[in-house]
């Protein structure tokens, strides 16, 4: 890692107005970027576990499937089990709700699975509202202000909130390359001269609508903020949860860079030794096509989009998949959102073939 970071600068953060792209200011340090996101919590009554039950970290995607077929399954991302409250037959699950949440009006039996195995079922559930808590502020330290921000602050006071409307915190890595961004509501709650230098300020923003990066992902972000990886499989020692966080940055970075397709007829080599879960599948495929830290989809539909061009690949092409038995072992018995068995390993091979990629398994 020291070799990767040689000669790198610091990450750069820009507070940007989203509608017109105006940059309010830039800085090299942000306080409050990491924390615990607001999570949905469900109590599942009459819980009946299957197999070994639900681990503390339940999975990247945990699906709750209503018994009544008229209602669709819904998703908890990055789900955790808080265990079974003493004296009850219930289980408490918490996670990031997808945009839809539970079916309106349904509170009956649900089956729960993590995309690979069935975790259990319950007779009914309820959603527990999280306790109100003051969100941590976002502090941009050593911010170099734009003229527009300076004028806005001059008109306000240091005690009164100042609304800069919808904004994003755009983040560049130590090489100055775009990495990702975080949306926020740019309501300024205070500012003061910064110890980082003359004419710089520490700007405090209301964190009420900001989703922080989970603490478990901090080391991964710090690695990427130093610069992209220079060798494949830098993610191999991570668990499934952290591989997902790694892939989030791979995807975000890919969509912020100029993408050029290579000529048709390229032969790509995939190192399959570490494909023990779905994030690893997409990380390895991305690096096979686009090199260290490369992106080539994060689900089957995204892989299909990448095969159509603009992501480094032009059909026809070829893929030599080494150690394919590892992926076959871990991805052949998966579940659809509604809990039906399907073979993800075969499905990805079919998707690649349909996109003009001739796959050889070894």
């Amino acid at each position: 890692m020291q070799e990767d970071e040689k000669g790198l600068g610091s990450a750069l953060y820009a507070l940007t107005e989203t509608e017109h792209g105006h940059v309010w200011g830039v800085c090299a340090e942000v306080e409050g970027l990491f924390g615990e996101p607001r999570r949905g919590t469900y109590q599942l009554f009459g819980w009946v576990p299957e197999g070994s039950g639900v681990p503390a970290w339940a999975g990247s995607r945990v699906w709750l499937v209503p018994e009544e077929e008229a209602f669709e399954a819904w998703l908890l991302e990055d789900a955790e089990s808080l265990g079974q409250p003493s004296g009850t037959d219930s289980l408490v699950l918490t996670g990031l709700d997808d945009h839809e949440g539970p079916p309106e009006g349904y509170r009956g039996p649900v089956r729960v699975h993590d995309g690979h195995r069935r975790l259990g079922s319950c007779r009914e559930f309820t959603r527990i509202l999280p306790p109100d808590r003051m969100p941590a502020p976002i502090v941009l330290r050593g911010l170099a202000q734009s003229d527009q921000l300076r004028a806005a602050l001059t008109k306000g006071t240091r005690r009164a909130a100042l609304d800069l409307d919808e904004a994003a915190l755009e983040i560049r890595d130590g090489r100055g390359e775009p990495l990702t961004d975080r949306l926020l509501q740019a309501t300024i709650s205070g500012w003061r001269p910064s110890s980082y230098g003359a004419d710089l300020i520490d700007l405090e923003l209301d964190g009420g609508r900001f989703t922080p990066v989970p603490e478990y992902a901090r080391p991964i972000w710090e690695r990427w903020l130093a610069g992209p990886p220079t060798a494949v499989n830098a993610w191999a020692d991570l668990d499934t949860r952290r591989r997902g966080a790694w892939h989030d940055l791979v995807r975000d970075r890919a969509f912020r860079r100029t993408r050029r397709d290579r000529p048709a007829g390229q032969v790509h080599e995939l190192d399959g030794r570490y494909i023990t879960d779905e994030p690893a599948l997409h990380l390895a495929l991305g690096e096979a096509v686009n090199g260290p830290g490369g992106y080539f989809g994060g689900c089957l539909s995204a892989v299909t989009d990448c095969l159509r061009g603009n992501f480094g690949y032009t059909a026809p092409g070829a893929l030599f998949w080494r150690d394919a038995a590892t992926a076959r072992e871990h991805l052949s018995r998966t579940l659809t959102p509604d809990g039906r068995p399907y073979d993800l390993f075969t499905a990805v091979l079919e998707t690649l073939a349909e996109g003009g990629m001739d796959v050889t398994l070894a």
Side-chain angles (χ1 to χ4, degrees):
M1 183 166 173
Q2 290 180 351
E3 182 179 350
D4 287 349
E5 295 178 2
K6 185 177 180 180
L8 297 180
S10 299
L12 187 68
Y13 305 87
L15 180 63
T16 306
E17 187 267 332
T18 55
E19 184 176 359
H20 304 292
H22 169 70
V23 177
W24 294 107
V26 296
C27 66
E29 183 179 334
V30 175
E31 181 181 304
L33 179 62
F34 300 95
E36 292 305 322
R38 186 179 179 88
R39 302 166 69 86
T41 303
Y42 294 84
Q43 189 163 0
L44 312 180
F45 298 98
W47 175 253
V48 180
E50 290 191 37
S52 57
V54 184
W57 182 67
S60 301
R61 301 187 190 95
V62 169
W63 296 92
L64 292 88
V65 186
E67 289 286 356
E68 296 184 25
E69 293 185 359
F71 295 94
E72 294 186 355
W74 78 98
L75 175 65
L76 276 182
E77 295 184 303
D78 192 30
E80 297 177 349
S81 168
L82 302 184
Q84 296 187 248
S86 178
T88 73
D89 63 351
S90 64
L91 176 77
V92 179
L93 276 181
T94 180
L96 304 178
D97 278 305
D98 69 357
H99 66 281
E100 294 181 353
E104 185 175 355
Y106 184 80
R107 292 294 181 270
V110 296
R111 293 171 284 114
V112 182
H113 71 85
D114 65 0
H116 298 274
R117 63 188 184 95
R118 295 179 175 87
L119 302 177
S121 60
C122 69
R123 66 173 182 270
E124 61 181 327
F125 68 91
T126 186
R127 191 174 192 276
I128 303 171
L129 295 177
D132 290 332
R133 58 183 175 87
M134 289 295 294
I138 312 302
V139 183
L140 310 184
R141 299 203 177 277
L143 185 76
Q145 312 165 67
S146 69
D147 291 340
Q148 290 93 329
L149 179 59
R150 192 187 310 275
L153 296 180
T154 300
K155 294 178 182 178
T157 70
R158 293 185 183 179
R159 296 182 179 178
L162 181 63
D163 189 3
L164 298 180
D165 298 322
E166 295 293 329
L169 192 62
E170 296 185 354
I171 304 172
R172 291 178 176 265
D173 66 22
R175 288 187 169 90
E177 298 176 353
L179 177 59
T180 185
D181 62 35
R182 308 296 285 186
L183 296 177
L184 50 84
Q185 182 180 15
T187 300
I188 297 173
S189 52
W191 67 95
R192 58 187 176 274
S194 176
S195 61
Y196 280 65
D199 204 34
L200 302 179
I201 63 171
D202 293 341
L203 186 72
E204 183 174 303
L205 305 174
D206 179 8
R209 290 174 56 187
F210 178 74
T211 301
V213 178
E215 280 291 342
Y216 71 80
R218 184 193 289 263
I220 295 162
W221 273 63
E222 290 174 345
R223 171 64 184 82
W224 274 88
L225 288 172
T230 58
V232 300
N233 297 328
W235 47 268
D237 291 336
L238 301 175
D239 60 18
T240 299
R241 189 183 206 185
R242 289 162 179 81
R243 287 176 175 183
W246 183 284
H247 186 270
D248 288 343
L249 290 176
V250 168
R251 180 200 59 224
D252 289 357
R253 176 175 176 267
F255 280 88
R256 286 160 179 81
R257 292 169 57 85
T258 301
R259 303 185 295 270
R260 294 183 177 87
D261 291 333
R262 299 176 187 85
Q266 299 290 309
V267 178
H268 310 283
E269 184 169 323
L270 188 151
D271 182 352
R273 290 175 295 168
Y274 307 106
I275 303 180
T276 56
D277 48 35
E278 189 171 351
L281 167 68
H282 297 294
L283 289 169
L285 181 58
E287 292 188 330
V289 177
N290 289 309
Y295 173 82
F296 203 73
C299 62
L300 289 181
S301 61
V303 172
T304 298
D305 289 341
C306 292
L307 287 164
R308 291 170 179 157
N310 204 30
F311 284 92
Y313 170 78
T314 302
L319 180 72
F320 187 74
W321 189 326
R322 296 186 180 276
D323 295 285
T326 303
R328 188 190 299 276
E329 176 187 354
H330 289 90
L331 301 179
S332 292
R333 293 178 294 277
T334 51
L335 300 170
T336 63
D338 61 3
R340 290 177 292 132
Y342 88 109
D343 184 341
L344 176 58
F345 178 72
T346 298
V348 74
L349 292 179
E350 292 172 349
T351 298
L352 293 172
E354 291 169 0
M357 188 176 284
D358 181 28
V359 181
T360 300
L361 304 181

